[in-house]
Amino acid sequence: MAIFTKSALFGFAVVFSVFTGAANAQLSPNFYSTSCPNLGTIVRSGMASAVQTEKRMGASILRLFFHDCFVNGCDGSILLDDTPTFTGEKNAGPNANSARGFEVIDAIKKQVEASCKATVSCADILALAARDGVSLLGGPTWSVPLGRKDSRTASQSAANANLPGPGSSLATLISMFGSKNLSPRDMTALSGAHTVGQARCTTFRSRIYTERNINGTFAALRQRTCPRTGGDSALAPFDVQTADGFDNAYYQNLVAQRGLLHSDQELFNGGSQDALVRQYSNSPVQFSADFVSAMLKMGGLLPSSGTPTEVRLKCSKAN
Ligand code: HEM
Ligand SMILES: *[C@@H]1O[C@H](CO)[C@@H](O)[C@H](O)[C@H]1NC(C)=O
């Protein structure tokens, strides 16, 4: 690449787009195989040490990827700090005091830069790290298509508008995922991510004190550390039995009316996803297969064509 002049590159890009008519570049698992052959190893070892230090980090990075992809595509936008010219996504409602793991991605990026300068996007590093987080916690693994570019800006209002909240109804969840071309089945499979990680009291308080479709023993257990008032930040695991294990226990919990968030229990509350939830609760293999297929679809969400992008040198800051 470095041998092409700027205009030669531009000419190539024009010819390419004329021939393909593609709005977005094609992603490929081999995208960096010559330009950064050790990428997979670097990301994997960064995630392995982060997860060894704190298991929850596997969950936190997976959530960062979801929150990145749902806001103008998987473009590393969630990783940007606010600047004088834009208010970014880190402090949007769904992320403030909640999204975490930024320092893990920043550190992996530093290692990647040391090995392959100005080559690998932060968006791709996040996609690989999320996959590694899942597999390090005992979940499935898969090959990650690469070649995403990083945004130059981020939007707090887009994050607030595009990310579902814990009080969402089934209809809202289906429609918010549908607007990303993800089916109800994809949505239900992706929600299985809530088999790992934790949530703050403020996100499930109203469920454990006011809802009727909740196991009484479970509600009482959660009430012990999530008071009616105060303690907003007190954490509870999504899945009590295997808190740090990526398995299908999330669905077994839903069938037992032990969903932590209102939005979780919406997937098994007499509606269209009940049968699928039951199926996943009985079949870890079916869940894994559908989760991987939905992660690939979600990971394929890209910024709309014409959006200025780059390979960022630091994930928290545009070049
Ligand atoms: C279906 C709609 C979804 C809603 C309403 C939702 C909402 C939430 C909420 C409220 C929390 C707790 C945040 C906090 O208290 O700080 C959370 C955590 C989490 N979410 Fe979701 N989520 C959804 C889908 C997803 C998807 C699709 C993924 C990934 C594929 C995901 C992965 C996670 C993970 C791993 C955590 C735990 C993070 C940690 O412990 O740091 N969620 N989610
Ligand atoms: C709630 O869960 C407990 C197990 O922890 C079980 O013994 C009880 O029967 C459940 N309650 C209902 C109403 O299903």
Side-chain angles (χ1 to χ4, degrees):
M1 272 307 200
I3 60 160
F4 289 120
T5 63
K6 237 185 186 167
S7 63
L9 258 183
F10 184 67
F12 175 76
V14 168
V15 171
F16 183 79
S17 66
V18 165
F19 272 87
T20 65
N24 291 305
Q26 196 72 35
L27 302 180
S28 152
N30 302 320
F31 192 81
Y32 301 108
S33 52
T34 55
S35 62
C36 194
N38 296 326
L39 175 62
T41 310
I42 298 170
V43 175
R44 174 83 185 183
S45 77
M47 282 302 291
S49 75
V51 169
Q52 189 170 31
T53 303
E54 186 202 19
K55 293 238 175 172
R56 185 187 176 195
M57 195 50 76
S60 302
I61 299 293
L62 172 58
R63 183 171 189 237
L64 275 191
F65 181 58
F66 163 50
H67 284 201
D68 185 27
C69 294
F70 261 54
V71 184
N72 302 322
C74 316
D75 61 354
S77 56
I78 192 174
L79 306 172
L80 289 173
D81 289 335
D82 292 354
T83 72
T85 56
F86 66 81
T87 305
E89 296 162 25
K90 284 186 176 177
N91 295 308
N95 294 330
N97 303 313
S98 175
R100 61 197 293 280
F102 297 105
E103 69 290 347
V104 171
I105 299 300
D106 289 345
I108 293 174
K109 170 67 169 176
K110 212 176 245 179
Q111 301 252 290
V112 171
E113 284 298 303
S115 203
C116 324
K117 207 170 155 42
T119 303
V120 182
S121 66
C122 296
D124 280 341
I125 289 173
L126 184 53
L128 287 166
R131 184 273 314 265
D132 289 340
V134 169
S135 79
L136 286 161
L137 296 179
T141 192
W142 60 96
S143 138
V144 178
L146 300 167
R148 299 169 187 81
K149 291 288 182 281
D150 298 321
S151 69
R152 295 187 37 76
T153 183
S155 164
Q156 181 163 106
S157 58
N160 285 328
N162 285 276
L163 294 170
S168 301
S169 66
L170 179 59
T172 297
L173 295 172
I174 289 175
S175 119
M176 290 186 84
F177 279 69
S179 71
K180 306 292 175 191
N181 283 317
L182 295 169
S183 67
R185 187 181 186 97
D186 294 327
M187 184 274 292
T188 295
L190 286 168
S191 297
H194 289 179
T195 181
V196 290
Q198 306 186 9
R200 289 162 306 148
C201 171
T202 184
T203 66
F204 59 83
R205 178 183 285 118
S206 73
R207 169 154 171 76
I208 63 174
Y209 286 103
T210 69
E211 298 188 352
R212 303 174 59 88
N213 60 350
I214 187 169
N215 174 286
T217 311
F218 177 66
L221 172 71
R222 286 288 147 260
Q223 288 171 7
R224 275 199 245 152
T225 51
C226 178
R228 279 181 194 277
T229 54
D232 281 10
S233 306
L235 294 170
F238 272 102
D239 173 15
V240 200
Q241 278 80 26
T242 52
D244 297 314
F246 198 99
D247 53 24
N248 67 334
Y250 171 76
Y251 302 99
Q252 297 170 348
N253 289 333
L254 295 186
V255 169
Q257 300 199 309
R258 289 165 168 263
L260 184 57
L261 307 179
H262 172 85
S263 53
D264 290 325
Q265 199 60 58
E266 279 289 288
L267 304 184
F268 189 84
N269 192 36
S272 63
Q273 301 306 292
D274 279 21
L276 187 57
V277 167
R278 241 184 234 292
Q279 200 183 326
Y280 291 157
S281 78
N282 289 319
S283 172
V285 170
Q286 185 68 64
F287 164 55
S288 285
D290 286 3
F291 180 79
V292 168
S293 127
M295 283 292 285
L296 289 167
K297 273 204 208 173
M298 184 173 82
L301 296 171
L302 296 175
S304 47
S305 66
T307 307
T309 55
E310 64 188 15
V311 171
R312 239 175 258 156
L313 298 176
K314 254 186 88 175
C315 294
S316 58
K317 193 174 166 297
N319 295 339

Short mmCIF file of all heavy atoms in Angstrom, two decimals, residues 158-203:
data_model
loop_
_atom_site.label_atom_id
_atom_site.label_comp_id
_atom_site.label_asym_id
_atom_site.label_seq_id
_atom_site.Cartn_x
_atom_site.Cartn_y
_atom_site.Cartn_z
N ALA A 158 -27.05 10.28 19.30
CA ALA A 158 -27.28 9.02 18.56
C ALA A 158 -27.19 7.83 19.51
O ALA A 158 -27.95 6.86 19.37
CB ALA A 158 -26.26 8.87 17.44
N ALA A 159 -26.28 7.89 20.50
CA ALA A 159 -26.19 6.80 21.48
C ALA A 159 -27.48 6.73 22.29
O ALA A 159 -28.04 5.65 22.51
CB ALA A 159 -24.99 6.99 22.39
N ASN A 160 -27.97 7.87 22.73
CA ASN A 160 -29.22 7.86 23.51
C ASN A 160 -30.40 7.35 22.70
O ASN A 160 -31.28 6.67 23.23
CB ASN A 160 -29.51 9.28 24.02
CG ASN A 160 -28.61 9.64 25.19
OD1 ASN A 160 -28.22 8.78 25.99
ND2 ASN A 160 -28.24 10.92 25.28
N ALA A 161 -30.39 7.63 21.40
CA ALA A 161 -31.54 7.24 20.57
C ALA A 161 -31.49 5.77 20.14
O ALA A 161 -32.53 5.16 19.91
CB ALA A 161 -31.60 8.13 19.32
N ASN A 162 -30.30 5.20 20.01
CA ASN A 162 -30.18 3.88 19.39
C ASN A 162 -30.02 2.71 20.35
O ASN A 162 -30.17 1.56 19.95
CB ASN A 162 -29.00 3.86 18.42
CG ASN A 162 -29.31 4.60 17.12
OD1 ASN A 162 -29.91 4.04 16.22
ND2 ASN A 162 -28.96 5.88 17.06
N LEU A 163 -29.67 2.99 21.61
CA LEU A 163 -29.42 1.89 22.55
C LEU A 163 -30.66 1.64 23.41
O LEU A 163 -31.20 2.57 24.01
CB LEU A 163 -28.21 2.23 23.42
CG LEU A 163 -26.90 2.31 22.64
CD1 LEU A 163 -25.78 2.89 23.50
CD2 LEU A 163 -26.50 0.95 22.09
N PRO A 164 -31.12 0.38 23.46
CA PRO A 164 -32.32 0.06 24.23
C PRO A 164 -32.09 0.18 25.73
O PRO A 164 -31.00 -0.08 26.22
CB PRO A 164 -32.62 -1.39 23.85
CG PRO A 164 -31.32 -1.95 23.37
CD PRO A 164 -30.53 -0.81 22.81
N GLY A 165 -33.11 0.58 26.46
CA GLY A 165 -33.01 0.70 27.91
C GLY A 165 -33.60 -0.52 28.60
O GLY A 165 -34.32 -1.32 27.98
N PRO A 166 -33.33 -0.67 29.90
CA PRO A 166 -33.75 -1.86 30.65
C PRO A 166 -35.26 -1.94 30.88
O PRO A 166 -35.77 -2.99 31.26
CB PRO A 166 -33.01 -1.72 31.99
CG PRO A 166 -32.72 -0.26 32.13
CD PRO A 166 -32.53 0.25 30.73
N GLY A 167 -35.97 -0.85 30.63
CA GLY A 167 -37.43 -0.88 30.79
C GLY A 167 -38.14 -1.21 29.49
O GLY A 167 -39.38 -1.20 29.43
N SER A 168 -37.39 -1.53 28.43
CA SER A 168 -37.99 -1.73 27.11
C SER A 168 -38.96 -2.90 27.08
O SER A 168 -38.73 -3.95 27.69
CB SER A 168 -36.90 -2.00 26.07
OG SER A 168 -35.98 -0.94 26.00
N SER A 169 -40.03 -2.73 26.31
CA SER A 169 -40.97 -3.82 26.06
C SER A 169 -40.42 -4.71 24.95
O SER A 169 -39.50 -4.32 24.22
CB SER A 169 -42.31 -3.25 25.59
OG SER A 169 -42.13 -2.64 24.32
N LEU A 170 -41.03 -5.90 24.80
CA LEU A 170 -40.62 -6.80 23.72
C LEU A 170 -40.78 -6.11 22.37
O LEU A 170 -39.90 -6.20 21.51
CB LEU A 170 -41.45 -8.09 23.77
CG LEU A 170 -41.14 -9.11 22.67
CD1 LEU A 170 -39.68 -9.56 22.71
CD2 LEU A 170 -42.08 -10.32 22.79
N ALA A 171 -41.89 -5.40 22.19
CA ALA A 171 -42.12 -4.72 20.90
C ALA A 171 -41.02 -3.70 20.62
O ALA A 171 -40.54 -3.59 19.48
CB ALA A 171 -43.50 -4.04 20.91
N THR A 172 -40.61 -2.96 21.64
CA THR A 172 -39.54 -1.97 21.45
C THR A 172 -38.22 -2.65 21.12
O THR A 172 -37.49 -2.22 20.23
CB THR A 172 -39.39 -1.12 22.73
OG1 THR A 172 -40.61 -0.41 22.93
CG2 THR A 172 -38.23 -0.15 22.63
N LEU A 173 -37.92 -3.74 21.82
CA LEU A 173 -36.67 -4.46 21.54
C LEU A 173 -36.66 -4.96 20.10
O LEU A 173 -35.67 -4.80 19.37
CB LEU A 173 -36.50 -5.63 22.51
CG LEU A 173 -36.32 -5.27 23.99
CD1 LEU A 173 -36.35 -6.52 24.86
CD2 LEU A 173 -35.03 -4.49 24.22
N ILE A 174 -37.78 -5.58 19.68
CA ILE A 174 -37.84 -6.11 18.32
C ILE A 174 -37.68 -4.98 17.31
O ILE A 174 -36.95 -5.11 16.32
CB ILE A 174 -39.17 -6.88 18.11
CG1 ILE A 174 -39.13 -8.19 18.90
CG2 ILE A 174 -39.42 -7.15 16.63
CD1 ILE A 174 -40.42 -9.00 18.88
N SER A 175 -38.29 -3.85 17.59
CA SER A 175 -38.21 -2.77 16.62
C SER A 175 -36.83 -2.09 16.62
O SER A 175 -36.30 -1.74 15.56
CB SER A 175 -39.38 -1.81 16.81
OG SER A 175 -38.95 -0.52 17.13
N MET A 176 -36.21 -1.95 17.80
CA MET A 176 -34.88 -1.31 17.81
C MET A 176 -33.82 -2.20 17.13
O MET A 176 -32.93 -1.71 16.44
CB MET A 176 -34.45 -0.96 19.24
CG MET A 176 -35.28 0.18 19.81
SD MET A 176 -34.72 0.74 21.43
CE MET A 176 -33.41 1.89 20.97
N PHE A 177 -33.92 -3.52 17.32
CA PHE A 177 -32.98 -4.42 16.64
C PHE A 177 -33.35 -4.50 15.15
O PHE A 177 -32.48 -4.58 14.29
CB PHE A 177 -32.97 -5.80 17.30
CG PHE A 177 -32.09 -5.85 18.54
CD1 PHE A 177 -32.46 -5.18 19.70
CD2 PHE A 177 -30.89 -6.56 18.53
CE1 PHE A 177 -31.64 -5.21 20.84
CE2 PHE A 177 -30.07 -6.59 19.67
CZ PHE A 177 -30.45 -5.92 20.81
N GLY A 178 -34.65 -4.48 14.87
CA GLY A 178 -35.10 -4.52 13.48
C GLY A 178 -34.56 -3.35 12.68
O GLY A 178 -34.21 -3.49 11.50
N SER A 179 -34.45 -2.19 13.32
CA SER A 179 -33.94 -1.03 12.58
C SER A 179 -32.45 -1.19 12.28
O SER A 179 -31.89 -0.43 11.50
CB SER A 179 -34.24 0.27 13.33
OG SER A 179 -33.45 0.34 14.48
N LYS A 180 -31.79 -2.18 12.88
CA LYS A 180 -30.40 -2.51 12.53
C LYS A 180 -30.36 -3.77 11.65
O LYS A 180 -29.32 -4.43 11.55
CB LYS A 180 -29.57 -2.77 13.79
CG LYS A 180 -29.61 -1.66 14.82
CD LYS A 180 -28.92 -0.41 14.32
CE LYS A 180 -29.09 0.74 15.31
NZ LYS A 180 -28.67 2.03 14.73
N ASN A 181 -31.50 -4.12 11.07
CA ASN A 181 -31.60 -5.34 10.26
C ASN A 181 -31.30 -6.61 11.03
O ASN A 181 -30.84 -7.60 10.45
CB ASN A 181 -30.69 -5.26 9.01
CG ASN A 181 -31.31 -4.37 7.97
OD1 ASN A 181 -32.52 -4.46 7.72
ND2 ASN A 181 -30.51 -3.50 7.37
N LEU A 182 -31.54 -6.59 12.33
CA LEU A 182 -31.39 -7.80 13.14
C LEU A 182 -32.78 -8.32 13.46
O LEU A 182 -33.66 -7.56 13.88
CB LEU A 182 -30.60 -7.48 14.42
CG LEU A 182 -29.15 -7.05 14.19
CD1 LEU A 182 -28.53 -6.49 15.47
CD2 LEU A 182 -28.31 -8.21 13.67
N SER A 183 -32.98 -9.62 13.24
CA SER A 183 -34.30 -10.24 13.41
C SER A 183 -34.61 -10.40 14.90
O SER A 183 -33.72 -10.33 15.75
CB SER A 183 -34.30 -11.61 12.74
OG SER A 183 -33.41 -12.47 13.44
N PRO A 184 -35.89 -10.69 15.22
CA PRO A 184 -36.22 -11.01 16.61
C PRO A 184 -35.38 -12.19 17.14
O PRO A 184 -34.97 -12.19 18.30
CB PRO A 184 -37.71 -11.39 16.53
CG PRO A 184 -38.22 -10.61 15.36
CD PRO A 184 -37.08 -10.60 14.37
N ARG A 185 -35.12 -13.15 16.27
CA ARG A 185 -34.28 -14.28 16.68
C ARG A 185 -32.86 -13.81 17.02
O ARG A 185 -32.29 -14.23 18.03
CB ARG A 185 -34.24 -15.32 15.55
CG ARG A 185 -33.54 -16.61 15.92
CD ARG A 185 -33.51 -17.59 14.73
NE ARG A 185 -32.97 -18.87 15.15
CZ ARG A 185 -33.71 -19.93 15.49
NH1 ARG A 185 -35.03 -19.85 15.46
NH2 ARG A 185 -33.13 -21.06 15.86
N ASP A 186 -32.29 -12.93 16.18
CA ASP A 186 -30.97 -12.36 16.47
C ASP A 186 -31.01 -11.63 17.82
O ASP A 186 -30.08 -11.75 18.63
CB ASP A 186 -30.55 -11.34 15.40
CG ASP A 186 -30.33 -11.96 14.03
OD1 ASP A 186 -29.89 -13.12 13.96
OD2 ASP A 186 -30.59 -11.26 13.02
N MET A 187 -32.05 -10.86 18.04
CA MET A 187 -32.17 -10.08 19.27
C MET A 187 -32.19 -11.00 20.49
O MET A 187 -31.49 -10.76 21.49
CB MET A 187 -33.45 -9.24 19.20
CG MET A 187 -33.68 -8.29 20.35
SD MET A 187 -34.49 -9.05 21.76
CE MET A 187 -36.13 -9.35 21.07
N THR A 188 -32.98 -12.06 20.40
CA THR A 188 -33.08 -13.00 21.53
C THR A 188 -31.75 -13.73 21.76
O THR A 188 -31.34 -13.93 22.91
CB THR A 188 -34.25 -13.97 21.28
OG1 THR A 188 -35.46 -13.20 21.28
CG2 THR A 188 -34.35 -15.05 22.34
N ALA A 189 -31.07 -14.08 20.68
CA ALA A 189 -29.77 -14.75 20.83
C ALA A 189 -28.73 -13.79 21.40
O ALA A 189 -27.97 -14.16 22.31
CB ALA A 189 -29.31 -15.31 19.48
N LEU A 190 -28.70 -12.56 20.90
CA LEU A 190 -27.70 -11.60 21.40
C LEU A 190 -27.94 -11.27 22.87
O LEU A 190 -26.98 -11.00 23.62
CB LEU A 190 -27.74 -10.32 20.56
CG LEU A 190 -27.12 -10.44 19.15
CD1 LEU A 190 -27.47 -9.20 18.32
CD2 LEU A 190 -25.59 -10.61 19.24
N SER A 191 -29.19 -11.27 23.28
CA SER A 191 -29.50 -10.97 24.68
C SER A 191 -28.88 -12.01 25.61
O SER A 191 -28.69 -11.74 26.81
CB SER A 191 -31.01 -10.92 24.90
OG SER A 191 -31.58 -9.88 24.14
N GLY A 192 -28.56 -13.18 25.08
CA GLY A 192 -27.90 -14.22 25.87
C GLY A 192 -26.55 -13.76 26.41
O GLY A 192 -25.97 -14.40 27.30
N ALA A 193 -26.03 -12.63 25.91
CA ALA A 193 -24.83 -12.01 26.48
C ALA A 193 -25.03 -11.73 27.96
O ALA A 193 -24.07 -11.66 28.73
CB ALA A 193 -24.48 -10.72 25.73
N HIS A 194 -26.28 -11.56 28.36
CA HIS A 194 -26.57 -11.32 29.77
C HIS A 194 -26.44 -12.59 30.62
O HIS A 194 -26.99 -12.66 31.71
CB HIS A 194 -27.97 -10.70 29.94
CG HIS A 194 -28.04 -9.27 29.46
ND1 HIS A 194 -29.18 -8.52 29.50
CD2 HIS A 194 -27.08 -8.45 28.95
CE1 HIS A 194 -28.94 -7.30 29.03
NE2 HIS A 194 -27.67 -7.24 28.68
N THR A 195 -25.70 -13.54 30.13
CA THR A 195 -25.29 -14.69 30.95
C THR A 195 -24.01 -14.37 31.70
O THR A 195 -23.55 -15.14 32.55
CB THR A 195 -25.09 -15.95 30.08
OG1 THR A 195 -24.71 -17.04 30.91
CG2 THR A 195 -23.98 -15.76 29.05
N VAL A 196 -23.39 -13.24 31.36
CA VAL A 196 -22.18 -12.78 32.05
C VAL A 196 -22.32 -11.30 32.40
O VAL A 196 -23.17 -10.60 31.85
CB VAL A 196 -20.91 -12.97 31.16
CG1 VAL A 196 -20.56 -14.44 31.00
CG2 VAL A 196 -21.07 -12.28 29.80
N GLY A 197 -21.54 -10.85 33.34
CA GLY A 197 -21.52 -9.43 33.68
C GLY A 197 -22.51 -9.06 34.77
O GLY A 197 -23.18 -9.91 35.35
N GLN A 198 -22.58 -7.78 35.03
CA GLN A 198 -23.36 -7.28 36.16
C GLN A 198 -24.17 -6.05 35.77
O GLN A 198 -23.87 -5.39 34.80
CB GLN A 198 -22.41 -6.91 37.31
CG GLN A 198 -21.49 -8.07 37.68
CD GLN A 198 -20.64 -7.79 38.88
OE1 GLN A 198 -20.81 -6.78 39.56
NE2 GLN A 198 -19.70 -8.67 39.15
N ALA A 199 -25.17 -5.78 36.59
CA ALA A 199 -26.00 -4.60 36.38
C ALA A 199 -26.15 -3.85 37.70
O ALA A 199 -26.07 -4.44 38.78
CB ALA A 199 -27.37 -5.00 35.83
N ARG A 200 -26.37 -2.54 37.57
CA ARG A 200 -26.55 -1.70 38.76
C ARG A 200 -28.00 -1.73 39.22
O ARG A 200 -28.92 -1.76 38.41
CB ARG A 200 -26.12 -0.26 38.46
CG ARG A 200 -24.62 -0.05 38.30
CD ARG A 200 -24.35 1.25 37.58
NE ARG A 200 -25.10 1.26 36.32
CZ ARG A 200 -25.59 2.34 35.74
NH1 ARG A 200 -25.41 3.53 36.28
NH2 ARG A 200 -26.25 2.24 34.61
N CYS A 201 -28.16 -1.63 40.51
CA CYS A 201 -29.47 -1.58 41.16
C CYS A 201 -30.46 -0.67 40.43
O CYS A 201 -31.62 -1.04 40.21
CB CYS A 201 -29.24 -1.12 42.60
SG CYS A 201 -30.69 -0.74 43.57
N THR A 202 -29.98 0.50 40.01
CA THR A 202 -30.88 1.46 39.37
C THR A 202 -31.55 0.90 38.11
O THR A 202 -32.63 1.33 37.73
CB THR A 202 -30.12 2.77 39.06
OG1 THR A 202 -31.03 3.72 38.52
CG2 THR A 202 -28.99 2.55 38.07
N THR A 203 -30.90 -0.11 37.47
CA THR A 203 -31.45 -0.65 36.22
C THR A 203 -32.50 -1.74 36.46
O THR A 203 -33.24 -2.10 35.54
CB THR A 203 -30.34 -1.23 35.32
OG1 THR A 203 -29.77 -2.39 35.96
CG2 THR A 203 -29.25 -0.22 35.04
#
